[in-house]
Amino acid sequence: WVEEHIKRLSANGIQTHFQLANITQLETVERNMRRGACNVPLILTWVAIGGGFDAPNIYNLANFVRACPDGSVLTLESSMLNVLPLNMMAIAMGLHVRCGIEDNLWTQDRKAKMSSVKQIEQLVRISREFGRDVANGKDARRIDDRHVDALGRRAEHQTDRVGRAGFEAGAVADTGGGGEEGGVALRQKVLEEP
């Protein structure tokens, strides 16, 4: 069923974005890639919310990152009071992150509620403190185009486990129309080559 849907999306030029709960689901996607059922680049979100999904902790995060094929575009998603600490780790590693009232309503001390805008502002501030540049929507589209150009030519190497240091530095705040209604992604900005 999943393979058939991936083939139909790919045949119509639609990029699949996988939201995965654990390594076993990633392995299923990789099998589909080896059979040629998936288009590239591999764009995925690791959803660490516990309860049948991976538990939101540094060990599971590191294991999932290690397992992602070279060139993957990885976003991290968690819930409630796990959102901020895991997003800080992800930003430090150069991953894309997600925040907003769909994932969390509270400040870290649970003394007040926090809007999506406030959560975005917090992660943008932290990104800058980590030395990650923040891009605008135009930059985000350019980054997406660059991933397609760079990775689309390397489809045959997507499952190669060599050369893992492929995450970029920087961050981009992109509301994607989510606004106050739900989660918002902060995506990493690609560094320009010298």
Side-chain angles (χ1 to χ4, degrees), residues 111-193:
K111 291 183 179 176
K113 292 188 177 172
M114 195 173 193
S115 70
S116 290
V117 170
K118 292 293 183 191
Q119 291 179 53
I120 292 167
E121 289 171 350
Q122 180 184 51
L123 287 178
V124 167
R125 179 184 54 76
I126 291 167
S127 294
R128 288 182 175 145
E129 289 176 10
F130 282 168
R132 307 290 191 198
D133 293 330
V134 179
N136 59 30
K138 184 178 178 181
D139 290 331
R141 283 185 291 281
R142 184 181 51 77
I143 291 164
D144 289 342
D145 291 343
R146 184 173 173 168
H147 277 297
V148 170
D149 290 345
L151 298 176
R153 292 187 297 249
R154 297 185 346 181
E156 67 277 7
H157 302 297
Q158 269 306 95
T159 56
D160 184 6
R161 299 260 183 216
V162 178
R164 283 260 177 260
F167 296 113
E168 295 88 16
V172 55
D174 180 13
T175 61
E180 286 297 308
E181 292 80 39
V184 180
L186 244 71
R187 299 188 359 241
Q188 299 295 323
K189 182 176 179 182
V190 175
L191 291 176
E192 296 296 328
E193 294 181 17

Side-chain angles (χ1 to χ4, degrees), residues 7 35-36 47 57 65 71 74-76 83 91 105 109 113 137 140 143 146 151 153 161 183 191-192:
K7 284 181 179 178
R35 286 199 304 263
V47 184
N57 62 54
V65 169
L74 178 59
T75 301
L76 185 135
V83 172
I91 290 169
L105 295 171
D109 61 9
K113 292 188 177 172
I143 291 164
R146 184 173 173 168
L151 298 176
R153 292 187 297 249
R161 299 260 183 216
L191 291 176
E192 296 296 328

